[in-house]
Structures are given as structure tokens and as C-alpha cells.
């Protein structure tokens, strides 16, 4: 599963200033990553073991309107790899900001076929999720 969150990028506007502070509770980890890992475990089962990493690679961000630079303490990278209770291996990576390539992509490969879910935004639960199968 790969996602690019609307929060956590190198720029922000005034309506998003609250997401710069990790203590606000509105972070890449808690919103797009949190909803997505919840969906993954609902569909495929929980993790038996995992390794996780969160990082803030862009601690200084620019306001798009004023050009002022502000400090960002919230993480902009969240990654988890692990083994599910079923024995399947899972990998998730969510990165801050928007991507010109992939906003949300979830691929499930099984012995009887493959499923791919795609969306044009990391907040796929807002709608516009497309499902492909083979």
C-alpha cells in the first residue's frame, strides 16, 4: 500500500497550519495512514509482527500565500512492513504532500488473482476509489 497524504508536504496554507504540530493529533500517521492501516487489517487480518518507522524529513515548510517559513514537527513519512496473522507479508508507505504519480495504490496479490484499489487522493474514504481485478 502506497499513499501520498495531503498533509506533511513542503508547503501549507493557512487552513492547514494546525497539521504542522505533531501534538495536534491531525498528522499523516493519524489520518491517512491510520485509516488505511485500519482498512488493511479489516480486510487481511492483523499483524503478527511488524517493523515501523516514522520520520520528519521536511521540518521547515513554506506558506504558499505569504512565503513565510514555519517549523513542522509532525512526521511526513510513515512506513510499516510485517507479517500478517495469515502469514502474508504486508508493506505500507505513506509520504507527506502530494505526488504527481501515485496518490493511493493498494495491491493485494493472491494465489487466485490480484486486486488493486486506486484513488486520486490519500483520503480514499472520501470517495473515488477504483477497484481493478485480475
Amino acid at each position: 500500500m502506497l499513499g501520498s497524504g495531503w498533509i506533511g508536504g513542503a508547503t501549507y496554507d493557512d487552513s492547514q497550519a494546525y497539521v504542522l504540530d505533531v501534538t495536534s493529533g491531525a498528522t499523516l500517521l493519524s489520518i491517512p495512514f491510520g485509516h488505511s492501516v485500519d482498512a488493511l487489517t479489516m480486510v487481511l487480518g492483523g499483524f503478527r509482527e511488524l517493523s515501523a518507522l516514522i520520520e520528519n524529513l521536511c521540518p521547515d515548510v513554506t506558506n504558499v500565500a505569504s512565503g513565510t517559513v514555519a517549523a513542522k514537527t509532525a512526521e511526513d513519512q510513515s512506513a510499516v512492513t510485517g507479517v500478517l496473522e495469515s502469514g502474508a507479508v504486508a508493506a505500507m508507505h505513506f509520504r507527506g504532500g502530494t505526488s504527481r504519480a501515485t496518490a493511493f495504490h493498494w495491491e493485494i496479490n493472491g494465489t487466485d488473482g490480484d486486486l488493486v484499489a486506486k484513488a486520486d487522493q490519500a483520503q480514499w474514504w472520501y470517495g473515488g476509489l477504483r477497484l481493478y481485478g485480475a
Side-chain angles (χ1 to χ4, degrees), residues 18-85:
Y18 69 99
V19 302
L20 302 178
D21 182 0
V22 70
T23 64
S24 73
T27 66
L28 180 75
L29 180 65
S30 65
I31 300 175
F33 189 89
H35 285 299
S36 298
V37 74
D38 184 44
L40 184 143
T41 58
M42 285 178 53
V43 171
L44 300 175
F47 282 91
R48 182 173 71 209
E49 58 186 83
L50 62 85
S51 176
L53 171 71
I54 59 171
E55 290 290 333
N56 180 11
L57 298 180
C58 191
D60 298 313
V61 294
T62 304
N63 185 296
V64 294
S66 69
T68 59
V69 175
K72 178 176 67 65
T73 58
E75 69 285 336
D76 51 41
Q77 302 287 319
S78 298
V80 168
T81 59
V83 179
L84 301 177
E85 293 165 348

